[in-house]
Amino acid sequence: MINSIKIKQVATYNDNSEQIINSNKINFLYGNNGTGKTTITRLIEEPSNSIFNHCSVNYDENGKCNTLVYNQDFVKINFNSETQLRGIYTFGEESEEKYKQIQLLNEKKENINSDITKILEEIKIKKKEIDELRISSSDVLWEKYRKKYYEKFPELFKGNVGKKDAFFDKCLETEYIDEVLSEEKITDEYALLFKDNQQERKTIQAFNFSQIKESISSSIFFKGILENKDVKLSKLIKDLDNSSWVEQGVSYLEKSQGLCPFCQNQLGHDFIKDIYKLYDREYQQDKIDFNNKMSDLKNRINEIRSIINENIDLFKDSELIFKVSTYFNSIEKELEIKNKNLKYICRFPDSISSLDEFSKYIVNLNRIIEEDNNKIKNIVQNKLKLIEIGWHFIRHIGNDDISAYIENKSKLEKDLQDLQVSFENMEITKKKLDIEIKELENSVTSITKTVNDINDILKKFNYTNFKLIENSDHLTYSIVRNDNTDASKTLSEGESSFISFLYFYNLVFGSRTRSGLHESHILVIDDPVTSMDSNTLFIISTLVRELIRLCLEDKRNIKQMFILSHNLYFFKEVSYGYNDRSKGKIPKNVAYFVVQKINGSSIIKSYENKNPIKNSYDLLWDKLRNKNYNDDSNLNIMRRILEQYLNTIGMGGPNNNNLELINKFDDNDKIIVKSLLSYINDGSHSIMDGLYMAPDENANQNAFRIFKKIFVVLGQESHYNMMMHEENDVVEEESRDVSIKSKPVSSNKKKEIKSKQNKKELIAV
């Protein structure tokens, strides 16, 4: 079914304002000639036509179905002298049993179509869930990994993975590996390979730690260097603890000419001799040995420190460097103490494991440098390798998120696959049903029944000077006179319109092919009563109302209808009883529209389920529905309504004083009744209009009360309630007991009613 129609930039519909028809099951569109109604029918029939590029026809979830359009184009294409009228296949009278079989098969097919619609919706939902899972998972990976590691390693994750989808796909296609390089090692590799101006490094100079160990273990550091104990002064010096001071003074003694270098007193010859004996050759040799060994040890330490400082950026193990530095500081501190006091015994740290550890560290560092140098020599290949390592790293750390996505996607895809298998099985079943239906239809259908049905209707309504015949090809019809001469070129416009609509009407229940008799239809009927007399117009109206009934009852595969007309009488006939006051499901299934042309542009106005076209009788009631007791025109309106209604039921006219009706009311009410009925008896507006009562608010209220009671007395309360849009109200008991017999219907009136009944009986729908 069509949900909505949007029209713009075509024919009389301008470029500025899009006109919208929010359609219902039954849609009535009224508009004068030239307002744009036929454009609407052409859009519904062929929305893909390029002239409708700015228009659209939007369907509900059941999608597009077959559209049958009756308009000027239908008549021109099917009823012209150049082409033969194609036959309409229907079921023959003798095919009732097979027809029932086909109906059952079509019901099965409808059920399958309904199931297919549901399963397609489920497939759509499942696909959406898969898409949403991918979007949410790709967002997670992008936020948690790509953003973070792109900042650290931009060269590893650039290029075709600059977008979420590409990055996500790359993560999925990368193989998971249990052991990958750590982030720290990748950082080192990245710094090596992707920094500017990569150059090979020199290896770190090898340290001779065995020599430094040997120097540290030299015995001189652990020996107290003492003065000659055999000299008497040695005890004094020891007691005074001023050996270094004395030794320093000896170095000046040779230049002091026998005087003390510190106090300038004369020294005795024996004293000077003893002083020199204190620092004999052994003492001097030990001292020289200590100084040499200390100097050598300090040089080796400084050499190591220098190398460390030169390569400090390579030494990542700061704890080890600290240990070595602390160890060297302890040694130097001990040497300084002994240097000041040669008697001091050095207490070097017991453990030298830090030197062994440092030695191994240097060896390993040189190995890394050599490896890095080799990588730089093959930098292109190694960059590509590191990029691959980087992706394996991302795949590894994101494994939980990726695995969850793969698992959930697998479940959804399994559900989707099951749904698609079910859909395919349903399609296979549907095709089998189509084949079975087609075979049954081919065995029982013909175009003959349509000829007979149309010719019967033509005869019943005195169209006896032309008819349809089935051609020898058993595929087409011809329109001929009674003598079988061609009549297609000599039909009047009214005759052509009538037979073309009968053809369309039969096409609704048949098909131009042997199959397709049960296709669902959207019917579009545009002004089918052109140049027709009132008799024919009545027939067409009755046929259209029958189609509306079938559509509302969901019968004969008529899913939706659009009825368009400029003929007020036809519009009133086909739309009567279908409005907001109707019972059952009619109000919610009907919509009214008016198509107008204002300043050369077509405008479509919606009236929802309220019929905008009213006859004069309904307009009179419409005025009363407001119940405005201050409106003095109400009395004349009531009089005019009573005149039309009483004339219709045979109780009106100047020769009828309605005394029997008046006498059914009490004396107080009779005045008002006479006033309301005076208009009928006077026959026209006259000075007698206000004779019986002076209007005021009280009088108007009484008039409304008596006006209703008149219909109750006549036994026509339901007509009053229908026209006033009221429910059946409780009335006064005396009114319920009052009854009156209407005058006998005249013989002419009987003939008119009988004529209408005959017309209805003649139309087989």
Side-chain angles (χ1 to χ4, degrees), residues 664-719:
K664 296 296 179 182
F665 293 85
D666 60 33
D667 291 340
N668 291 329
D669 290 343
K670 280 181 182 178
I671 297 174
I672 302 175
V673 176
K674 287 180 180 180
S675 176
L676 293 175
L677 296 177
S678 66
Y679 187 86
I680 303 172
N681 296 318
D682 288 340
S684 64
H685 294 275
S686 71
I687 60 172
M688 302 297 290
D689 281 352
L691 179 63
Y692 293 100
M693 58 182 293
D696 58 30
E697 185 173 353
N698 261 344
N700 275 327
Q701 288 182 359
N702 281 328
F704 268 94
R705 180 177 61 82
I706 297 302
F707 178 72
K708 178 175 182 179
K709 187 182 279 190
I710 288 172
F711 282 92
V712 175
V713 168
L714 291 170
Q716 301 295 328
E717 182 183 5
S718 60
H719 179 74

Side-chain angles (χ1 to χ4, degrees), residues 369-393:
I369 291 172
E370 289 175 356
E371 289 175 355
D372 289 348
N373 289 340
N374 289 330
K375 289 175 184 177
I376 291 173
K377 289 176 184 177
N378 301 286
I379 193 166
V380 174
Q381 294 88 335
N382 285 303
K383 279 183 176 181
L384 294 174
K385 185 177 180 181
L386 184 60
I387 290 172
E388 183 180 352
I389 289 170
W391 280 109
H392 281 299
F393 172 76

Side-chain angles (χ1 to χ4, degrees), residues 608-624:
E608 297 180 344
N609 58 2
K610 296 177 177 61
N611 193 338
I613 309 301
K614 302 179 185 294
N615 57 33
S616 59
Y617 182 69
D618 190 45
L619 288 172
L620 290 172
W621 283 94
D622 196 41
K623 180 78 171 176
L624 290 186

